């Protein structure tokens, strides 16, 4: 199984990277692992023209798109800031998860094709908000958005979300053993959904959008 690990923290040496280390070390030995840190990529996070006009990919985005297309399982790790992922990671989503590649709208109706079917995903989110309070006060907004509006929208399934908090006030240290066990369990239990349904989409996308 090809596993793509994406570190979404804009700074190095942070707790998110540590959690991704734990995840990577707990993966089955048979996995073919590729790891990418968004902070190391050179790209403009602003999708200047929206979907109206193609914004050409920088080499780093094109290379990551190849890895995303080829993977069987993708993992995102990032902190929640102001109820969402860091701006750089949001910019990456805007730039890489484009119609025609990760999904495709229908011309004749309001539905769409989920082009990432056959791939699965895990997301680990750290937060200073206690997860129970996030569910109660905010309806689990970031969890639902990543699961339903991003990953499952494009066909990644199962899409599992692990929210860890409260990180501040020593929460990471106090919960180190428990959180490590949860991350390790996530890594040990990855399962590709419907592998026979996986199709490579990038070549077709580039063929349609190259001018």
């Amino acid at each position: 199984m090809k596993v793509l690990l994406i570190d979404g923290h804009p700074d190095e040496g942070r707790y998110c990277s540590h959690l991704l280390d734990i995840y990577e070390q707990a993966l089955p030995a048979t996995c073919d692992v590729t790891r990418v840190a968004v902070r190391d990529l050179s790209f403009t996070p602003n999708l200047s023209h929206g979907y109206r006009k193609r914004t050409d990919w920088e080499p780093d985005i094109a290379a990551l798109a190849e890895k995303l297309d080829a993977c069987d399982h993708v993992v995102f790790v990032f902190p929640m800031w102001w109820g969402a992922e860091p701006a750089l990671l949001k910019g990456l989503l805007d730039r890489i998860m484009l119609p025609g590649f990760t999904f495709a709208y229908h011309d004749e109706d309001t539905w769409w094709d989920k082009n990432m079917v056959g791939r699965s995903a895990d997301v680990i989110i750290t937060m200073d908000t206690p997860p129970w309070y996030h569910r109660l006060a905010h309806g689990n907004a970031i969890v639902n958005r990543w699961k339903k509006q991003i990953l499952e929208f494009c066909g990644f399934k199962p899409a599992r979300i692990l929210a860890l908090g409260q990180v501040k006030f020593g929460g990471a240290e106090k919960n180190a053993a428990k959180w490590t066990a949860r991350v390790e369990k996530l890594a040990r239990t990855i399962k590709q959904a419907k592998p026979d349904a996986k199709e490579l989409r990038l070549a077709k996308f580039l063929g349609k959008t190259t001018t």
Side-chain angles (χ1 to χ4, degrees):
M1 177 182 288
K2 293 183 177 181
V3 179
L4 175 60
L5 307 177
I6 299 179
D7 184 340
H9 202 296
D11 193 14
E12 61 182 5
R14 304 301 291 267
Y15 187 56
C16 286
S17 300
H18 173 65
L19 293 175
L20 200 56
D21 290 340
I22 294 171
Y23 189 103
E24 182 174 4
Q25 293 163 10
L27 284 169
T30 55
C31 290
D32 178 4
V33 181
T34 300
R35 183 162 170 165
V36 175
V38 176
R39 60 184 169 272
D40 294 335
L41 304 179
S42 178
F43 71 101
T44 300
N46 183 32
L47 187 63
S48 301
H49 307 291
Y51 295 157
R52 178 180 62 83
K53 178 182 176 182
R54 170 76 186 277
T55 301
D56 290 335
W57 279 341
E58 298 86 346
D60 283 355
I61 298 296
L64 182 58
E66 291 182 3
K67 295 178 177 65
L68 184 63
D69 193 38
C71 81
D72 300 301
H73 182 75
V74 63
V75 183
F76 293 89
V77 181
F78 58 87
M80 182 181 76
W81 292 346
W82 292 107
E85 62 282 347
L88 195 61
L89 179 56
K90 176 57 167 64
L92 177 65
L93 296 181
D94 288 347
R95 291 294 314 282
I96 199 171
M97 299 182 77
L98 297 176
F101 177 36
T102 58
F103 68 98
Y105 289 126
H106 295 176
D107 293 331
E108 67 278 4
D109 57 43
T110 58
W111 299 101
W112 67 96
D113 295 326
K114 301 178 178 184
N115 288 351
M116 295 292 104
V117 165
R119 300 163 181 83
S120 54
D122 285 332
V123 179
I124 302 171
I125 307 171
T126 62
M127 53 181 67
D128 287 336
T129 304
W132 67 265
Y133 185 82
H134 186 259
R135 292 192 298 271
L136 181 65
H138 306 300
N140 231 16
I142 192 171
V143 171
N144 292 331
R145 177 173 149 264
W146 267 82
K147 182 178 178 65
K148 299 293 185 182
Q149 293 181 278
I150 299 174
L151 295 171
E152 290 185 355
F153 181 92
C154 294
F156 292 98
K157 196 171 183 178
R160 304 180 299 178
I161 316 292
L162 175 59
L164 297 176
Q166 170 178 36
V167 173
K168 67 177 182 178
F169 303 129
E173 292 78 11
K174 295 174 185 176
N175 295 287
K178 180 172 64 175
W179 291 358
T180 293
R182 294 179 69 182
V183 171
E184 289 177 338
K185 181 179 179 181
L186 205 64
R188 288 195 302 266
T189 57
I190 61 173
K191 183 182 296 185
Q192 183 183 358
K194 299 180 180 178
D196 58 326
K198 175 184 170 183
E199 296 182 19
L200 298 180
R201 298 287 185 166
L202 187 58
K204 185 176 181 180
F205 168 72
L206 293 176
K208 281 188 173 182
T209 57
T210 298
T211 58

